[in-house]
């Protein structure tokens, strides 16, 4: 990686952090926002450049690609780096996810939660879990219906090696600004309900990406998933 590209990543991160700080101050919810750098299809050098710029949370969608990166980087990165699995989960991939990740954003079925719990090594801390909600009832998206959240939350809370932290959503493509606002507001209400049910460990509402980050934070997101705006276009 050239010095110029590395500097671009550093500058992009600084700009996005500044935007998030301003948005958090504008938001009526008054909470800081955690930046998750979506590093899928980006190189080890790009991730190293982001780490050098102080980025500690990375999101990956593809299990094998992610495990290869995590394994190669393990000897060269500081312990505080946290890996988030944010893609759809197949049953035959849960062991790799349970053994290598710190967070999972895309839990939508009891079967997946059970396997992650059974396959999480005793030597590791509890696996942080977000439940994925299909807030727009989009046939092209995974996730729970809003009315299913409470039941799965109770199950995850009963798993000794899992720690329920909150909710995640990906909005339907092609919606209007007003529709996005309504969806984000609905998610925030669900998040508040989950906090009331499950207590103070519920502290994460992951919603918003490069295109709708502003709206998501103003409506209560405290984690956003940003890829292209940090790293540029993905490598093929």
């Amino acid at each position: 990686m050239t010095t110029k590209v590395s500097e671009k990543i550093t500058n992009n991160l600084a700009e996005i952090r500044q935007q998030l700080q301003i948005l958090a101050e504008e938001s009526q919810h008054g909470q800081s926002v955690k930046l998750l750098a979506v590093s899928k299809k980006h190189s080890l050098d790009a991730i190293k450049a982001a780490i050098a710029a102080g980025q500690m949370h990375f999101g990956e969608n593809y299990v094998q690609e992610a495990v290869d990166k995590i394994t190669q980087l393990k000897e060269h990165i500081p312990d505080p780096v946290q890996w988030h699995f944010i893609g759809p989960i197949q049953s035959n991939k849960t062991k790799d996810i349970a053994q290598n990740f710190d967070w999972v954003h895309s839990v939508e079925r009891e079967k997946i939660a059970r396997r992650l719990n059974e396959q999480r090594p005793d030597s590791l801390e509890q696996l942080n879990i977000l439940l994925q909600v299909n807030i727009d009832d989009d046939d092209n998206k995974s996730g729970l219906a809003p009315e299913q959240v409470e039941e799965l939350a109770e199950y995850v809370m009963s798993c000794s090696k899992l720690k329920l932290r909150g909710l995640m959503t990906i909005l339907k493509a092609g919606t209007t600004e007003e529709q996005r606002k309504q969806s984000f507001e609905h998610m925030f209400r669900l998040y508040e309900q989950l906090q009331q049910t499950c207590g103070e460990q519920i502290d994460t509402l992951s919603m918003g990406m490069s295109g709708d980050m502003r709206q998501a934070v103003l409506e209560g997101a405290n984690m956003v998933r940003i890829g292209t705006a940090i790293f540029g276009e993905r490598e093929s």
Side-chain angles (χ1 to χ4, degrees):
M1 170 175 286
T2 65
T3 302
K4 186 176 180 179
V5 173
S6 181
E7 288 177 352
K8 180 69 172 172
I9 290 171
T10 299
N11 293 337
N12 289 345
L13 281 167
E15 185 176 330
I16 292 166
R17 288 180 188 130
Q18 185 176 30
Q19 289 174 8
L20 289 175
Q21 185 173 348
I22 292 169
L23 288 171
E25 291 168 358
E26 287 182 22
S27 171
Q28 62 178 331
H29 303 288
Q31 52 190 356
S32 61
V33 183
K34 185 176 291 180
L35 173 59
L36 179 61
V38 179
S39 49
K40 68 175 182 181
K41 298 295 183 185
H42 292 292
S43 68
L44 293 176
D45 285 340
I47 296 171
K48 288 177 183 177
I51 293 170
Q55 180 62 30
M56 291 291 123
H57 291 264
F58 294 88
E60 291 281 339
N61 290 58
Y62 307 110
V63 176
Q64 194 54 57
E65 176 196 343
V67 170
D68 289 346
K69 287 177 180 175
I70 293 167
T71 302
Q72 292 179 65
L73 285 167
K74 193 164 284 185
E75 296 177 5
H76 307 287
I77 62 175
D79 287 340
V81 169
Q82 299 268 294
W83 294 96
H84 298 238
F85 188 76
I86 60 177
I89 303 174
Q90 298 171 309
S91 296
N92 64 345
K93 300 292 186 181
T94 53
K95 186 174 182 180
D96 283 334
I97 294 171
Q99 291 179 345
N100 289 280
F101 285 85
D102 304 288
W103 290 72
V104 181
H105 287 224
S106 43
V107 174
E108 58 168 344
R109 290 183 287 150
E110 183 178 310
K111 177 184 178 182
I112 295 298
R114 183 178 69 251
R115 289 176 65 89
L116 290 171
N117 185 60
E118 290 171 349
Q119 295 168 335
R120 183 69 168 174
D122 293 334
S123 59
L124 297 179
E125 294 181 357
Q126 286 177 301
L127 184 59
N128 296 295
I129 299 295
L130 301 181
L131 305 183
Q132 182 171 351
V133 181
N134 188 347
I135 198 67
D136 295 323
D137 191 23
D138 182 357
D139 292 339
N140 296 315
K141 296 283 189 301
S142 302
L144 298 159
E147 60 271 17
Q148 297 173 315
V149 167
E150 187 173 343
E151 183 178 358
L152 185 55
E154 288 179 1
Y155 180 78
V156 172
M157 291 279 287
S158 74
C159 295
S160 62
K161 295 180 184 178
L162 306 181
K163 183 175 183 178
L164 183 63
R165 296 293 294 270
L167 302 175
M168 182 272 267
T169 197
I170 303 170
L171 297 193
K172 187 175 184 177
T175 52
T176 66
E177 185 173 341
E178 181 58 31
Q179 287 171 326
R180 292 194 296 273
K181 184 176 189 296
Q182 291 176 3
S183 295
F184 286 142
E185 287 177 341
H186 192 180
M187 280 298 300
F188 189 78
R189 290 196 299 272
L190 281 177
Y191 173 64
E192 287 187 309
Q193 291 167 12
L194 195 62
Q195 285 181 316
Q196 292 171 6
T197 303
C198 301
E200 62 183 17
Q201 73 181 62
I202 305 301
D203 60 6
T204 304
L205 178 57
S206 174
M207 59 185 193
M209 297 182 282
S210 295
D212 54 12
M213 175 182 81
R214 173 182 171 80
Q215 206 167 7
V217 174
L218 291 178
E219 300 304 333
N222 57 18
M223 180 182 284
V224 294
R225 306 177 303 274
I226 308 296
T228 303
I230 296 172
F231 297 109
E233 293 300 323
R234 294 190 181 96
E235 299 165 14
S236 58

